[in-house]
Amino acid sequence: MPQHIINGRMFEQRAQIRHCGTVNPMEDSVIESSLQYCYMPTLVFLTEADGSQKDGGYLLIPRASQSVKVLSEVPMFIIFLFQIHRHHLQSEMMEFIPLIVQYVNLLIPHEQRSSNSFSNALADDFYNSQVRALTFLGIIARQSMYNMADVMNSHSSSLVQGMLQLMENIPADNLGMRRELIITVKSFFSCEMRTKFIPILPRLFNESLLMGSGFTVNDQMRTSVYSMLADLVHHLRCHLSYVMLCCSVYVFSKSIHDQSLPSYVQSMCCKLIMNLIESFIANEKNHPDQPCRDLLFCILENYVRKFKVIAEFHVPLLLERNPVILAAGRVKVDDKPSSETNEKSNDGSKGDPDGGKASDKDMESIESFVKQETSHIPGATASEGPGNRTTIDVHQMLPASILCKGQTPNQILSQYWVQPSPPMSVTDAKSMVRVLVQACKHIVHGLKDTHMTTISCSPLRELQIMENLLKYGLRCLDVFMITSLPNQQVNSTVPRINGARSKDEKESLDLFASIFTLLNPSVFTELFSKYIDFFIERIAYNYTLQAICNAFLVNPSTSAKFGNILVRYLMKKLPEIAGQSYICLSESYREELISTCLFS
């Protein structure tokens, strides 16, 4: 095949060939000469002896040795044959694999690609045959029954280069071919050859390489591509250098805030970054000139930003959208029969008076969140639109270079101001909060093994990050208030301090409390002395947060300091309560909570 591509100008094909002039009486010789350069079905027209054109022509089918469609089926046939005669074809298979690797690395010459007679259909068939050949190599590498590990490792560099060439050259709008290629590449990531991809890992993080520039491919394959890359980085984390680790953190930190990705993919990215923390700490121990304290605080700040988005946007909408009954600081979902739910889902006019659209309260919450998030962007202006709706002048926010007609999916999408995505489901929100709390605890626990450098965050900045973590983390824990409890377990008159909690909620509360017990005692004292009012208010709203307070009181490193802060707060509030003739329920409930914490 290489000689046909280079010498035979294989891809400069025409669908029809017309022979002019006097033709040899033996038409077979004409057909034979045409078959020498036939690589796709071609219609050949011949002439009569008097020079006139014949009415019909001959449809030439290329020889099997020159057909890329036939060649695409050969590798799978070899696998089937090898499974039957495994012990007799071992040496032949070892000779066949280098030929397949060579075929995967073939490229269409530039002069043929730029020719006016370039055949796109033949090029697509050629790329498809290369992907099939790569699939054959993936099966050989993944299954140990073939015993070809040594042969595959000896040609690993050429194989990786061939994969990159296919990713770059496959047509951008061919979804089926791109999907098969990504599935095949994933099979190499799951075998021992995954370490061969470490040098090209930054290139794999480029979406335009793996998915191309096709809009449909990007829309359909982004989720599977990020899952595949996360799995690869997870298995290679012990072999990655400091630069590779930083590159991985940068890519997956962006994915945490990518609303086009499902919630479970965002949670997966959070878990992956959490697993990379140990690699950073181990790398700093082996290479003191590569500190990671500043990077850990950057990761922590990224998690805090995600906490902020959930606390400001998702949790309020979830509490409003769910039909709830507030009972002693616990929100109970009003369970309804499944038949009624299905009826409402089938008939949007009955179940939702707005026909499935967001309610006015939801839109107001969305607009207030958009105002807050865009207030710091230069050039972003807000104005009152029809119906007292807030409109954002997006054209002032976007660079002038992308206001023209877009060429890539990112440029196309950036020209449209779409309505913010709906909030997560309750299950996804709980899972996300639990993962974020666990990741933050892992970071704070790892900070004790790092050291300060000239590029580290200042102590004031570190304290600000922890303050934001406390504020937004406590508000995010309110999502666990949405629960489904039997009616007999809810008593609105008696506040149950140790209310029923799910396993995820209990673990999240314990992990959140352990974050602050790991802090320096002076930082802990300064933090809660400043936010004790806010902390007590959150406990009064969601009494299950008292578990955090109890954890501080039973921990030896924080018990005395936190108890002192609570007593000072209580003594400060006593004159206010004594001077009132009527004690409101919320104030008395707060004092009861504090007393319970102190004397339990």
Side-chain angles (χ1 to χ4, degrees):
M1 190 60 70
Q3 62 271 19
H4 292 291
I5 295 177
I6 299 174
N7 301 327
R9 306 192 70 84
M10 173 178 171
F11 296 95
E12 297 181 18
Q13 295 288 303
R14 291 176 295 176
Q16 296 181 1
I17 299 177
R18 295 182 181 273
H19 289 273
C20 302
T22 303
V23 179
N24 193 312
M26 297 297 294
E27 293 183 353
D28 292 345
S29 61
V30 179
I31 300 299
E32 180 65 26
S33 62
S34 299
L35 280 174
Q36 298 295 328
Y37 304 99
C38 180
Y39 304 97
M40 59 182 294
T42 306
L43 192 60
V44 178
F45 292 93
L46 303 179
T47 57
E48 299 287 354
D50 56 357
S52 61
Q53 193 77 37
K54 284 187 176 182
D55 295 336
Y58 295 94
L59 180 62
L60 296 185
I61 299 177
R63 294 189 175 98
S65 59
Q66 298 178 192
S67 174
V68 292
K69 289 187 176 181
V70 173
L71 189 58
S72 64
E73 303 297 335
V74 170
M76 296 298 107
F77 173 74
I78 296 296
I79 287 182
F80 177 74
L81 192 64
F82 185 78
Q83 290 176 348
I84 300 176
H85 307 283
R86 183 184 311 170
H87 302 288
H88 303 283
L89 298 177
Q90 191 76 20
S91 59
E92 287 78 2
M93 181 67 77
M94 297 179 67
E95 297 176 358
F96 183 67
I97 288 178
L99 297 177
I100 295 296
V101 174
Q102 180 185 3
Y103 181 72
V104 170
N105 281 272
L106 291 179
L107 289 174
I108 300 177
H110 178 70
E111 57 272 12
Q112 295 187 36
R113 186 182 294 275
S114 59
S115 175
N116 294 330
S117 59
F118 178 74
S119 176
N120 290 314
L122 183 58
D124 290 347
D125 292 338
F126 173 69
Y127 289 135
N128 183 61
S129 65
Q130 286 186 310
V131 173
R132 292 287 186 88
L134 189 63
T135 303
F136 163 78
L137 295 175
I139 296 174
I140 296 297
R142 186 174 65 252
Q143 298 183 8
S144 59
M145 58 177 289
Y146 296 103
N147 297 324
M148 296 293 170
D150 295 337
V151 180
M152 297 296 295
N153 289 329
S154 62
H155 297 85
S156 59
S157 58
S158 300
L159 187 58
V160 172
Q161 183 64 27
M163 292 183 194
L164 293 177
Q165 293 176 2
L166 281 176
M167 293 176 188
E168 294 173 350
N169 297 325
I170 282 182
D173 56 347
N174 197 322
L175 176 61
M177 194 183 304
R178 181 74 62 169
R179 178 185 286 114
E180 185 175 357
L181 174 62
I182 291 177
I183 293 174
T184 302
V185 172
K186 185 178 180 180
S187 66
F188 285 99
F189 290 170
S190 59
C191 65
E192 296 179 356
M193 286 189 62
R194 65 171 69 96
T195 56
K196 307 299 181 181
F197 294 90
I198 294 179
I200 64 167
L201 193 59
R203 296 188 62 185
L204 293 177
F205 288 149
N206 186 3
E207 291 186 1
S208 60
L209 177 66
L210 279 174
M211 295 178 287
S213 58
F215 181 84
T216 304
V217 176
N218 278 263
D219 183 61
Q220 298 289 329
M221 300 298 297
R222 290 188 79 242
T223 300
S224 58
V225 165
Y226 273 100
S227 301
M228 177 184 68
L229 291 176
D231 184 68
L232 175 65
V233 174
H234 175 74
H235 288 91
L236 293 177
R237 65 187 187 278
C238 297
H239 306 280
L240 298 180
S241 63
Y242 180 79
V243 176
M244 293 294 184
L245 289 172
C246 293
C247 184
S248 303
V249 168
Y250 173 75
V251 171
F252 290 101
S253 294
K254 294 193 303 180
S255 304
I256 295 175
H257 303 279
D258 190 348
Q259 295 300 323
S260 63
L261 294 174
S263 300
Y264 70 89
V265 177
Q266 298 178 23
S267 300
M268 177 191 63
C269 295
C270 292
K271 294 178 182 178
L272 174 65
I273 297 177
M274 178 184 66
N275 293 331
L276 294 179
I277 294 173
E278 295 180 359
S279 300
F280 276 109
I281 296 175
N283 184 78
E284 181 176 346
K285 291 180 179 179
N286 299 327
H287 305 280
D289 58 332
Q290 297 177 350
C292 64
R293 185 179 180 86
D294 58 326
L295 190 60
L296 293 185
F297 267 102
C298 289
I299 298 174
L300 182 61
E301 186 176 8
N302 188 56
Y303 287 149
V304 172
R305 291 180 183 272
K306 188 64 177 179
F307 269 127
K308 180 180 179 181
V309 173
I310 297 175
E312 296 283 351
F313 176 68
H314 293 279
V315 173
L317 291 182
L318 287 175
L319 293 176
E320 291 180 6
R321 285 190 173 188
N322 290 277
V324 297
I325 300 175
L326 188 62
R330 166 70 66 175
V331 177
K332 172 184 173 296
V333 175
D334 188 11
D335 296 328
K336 296 185 178 181
S338 58
S339 59
E340 182 180 354
T341 304
N342 295 333
E343 182 180 356
K344 289 186 177 182
S345 61
N346 294 331
D347 188 1
S349 60
K350 295 181 181 180
D352 188 355
D354 296 332
K357 298 181 180 179
S359 62
D360 292 339
K361 292 183 178 180
D362 293 346
M363 291 303 300
E364 291 175 0
S365 301
I366 292 173
E367 290 168 0
S368 62
F369 180 75
V370 171
K371 280 183 179 180
Q372 180 180 358
E373 292 299 314
T374 57
S375 60
H376 65 281
I377 302 178
T381 59
S383 60
E384 294 293 333
N388 296 327
R389 292 296 186 194
T390 302
T391 59
I392 307 296
D393 190 357
V394 186
H395 289 79
Q396 297 184 12
M397 298 166 55
L398 296 177
S401 59
I402 64 174
L403 292 178
C404 57
K405 184 178 180 180
Q407 301 296 331
T408 65
N410 290 334
Q411 292 178 351
I412 294 173
L413 291 176
S414 63
Q415 298 183 39
Y416 298 93
W417 182 263
V418 297
Q419 180 178 346
S421 59
M424 305 178 188
S425 65
V426 176
T427 304
D428 291 339
K430 290 180 179 180
S431 176
M432 177 65 72
V433 171
R434 184 183 182 279
V435 170
L436 288 172
V437 172
Q438 183 180 7
C440 291
K441 190 256 183 181
H442 205 68
I443 292 177
V444 176
H445 183 269
L447 287 174
K448 62 182 179 60
D449 297 324
T450 62
H451 61 277
M452 296 285 294
T453 61
T454 55
I455 61 176
S456 300
C457 299
S458 63
L460 180 60
R461 180 57 183 163
E462 294 179 359
L463 180 60
Q464 291 176 351
I465 294 175
M466 299 308 300
E467 289 177 356
N468 292 332
L469 175 60
L470 176 64
K471 291 189 297 183
Y472 298 117
L474 288 175
R475 294 173 60 183
C476 287
L477 291 174
D478 291 345
V479 73
F480 291 101
M481 295 169 62
I482 305 176
T483 183
S484 179
L485 294 177
N487 292 330
Q488 61 270 18
Q489 293 187 16
V490 178
N491 188 347
S492 58
T493 59
V494 180
R496 293 176 293 108
I497 301 302
N498 294 321
R501 294 198 299 263
S502 64
K503 179 181 178 181
D504 288 343
E505 181 182 11
K506 187 177 185 305
E507 291 180 356
S508 299
L509 293 173
D510 294 340
L511 290 172
F512 192 81
S514 63
I515 293 175
F516 298 94
T517 56
L518 293 172
L519 294 178
N520 186 283
S522 60
V523 175
F524 177 87
T525 303
E526 182 178 359
L527 180 63
F528 280 92
S529 297
K530 182 178 180 180
Y531 287 96
I532 186 62
D533 292 338
F534 173 78
F535 184 57
I536 298 301
E537 288 177 1
R538 299 311 305 174
I539 295 179
Y541 178 72
N542 180 10
Y543 65 82
T544 56
L545 297 180
Q546 184 192 337
I548 301 176
C549 186
N550 294 337
F552 293 158
L553 291 173
V554 299
N555 190 282
S557 61
T558 59
S559 177
K561 295 178 176 58
F562 190 71
N564 186 25
I565 295 173
L566 279 180
V567 171
R568 289 177 179 273
Y569 174 81
L570 183 59
M571 298 301 295
K572 179 182 177 181
K573 290 293 182 179
L574 284 179
E576 299 179 9
I577 298 176
Q580 296 178 359
S581 58
Y582 175 75
I583 302 177
C584 64
L585 178 61
S586 60
E587 288 293 337
S588 61
Y589 183 43
R590 291 182 191 179
E591 307 311 322
E592 182 181 354
L593 288 175
I594 297 174
S595 302
T596 305
C597 293
L598 289 174
F599 301 107
S600 60

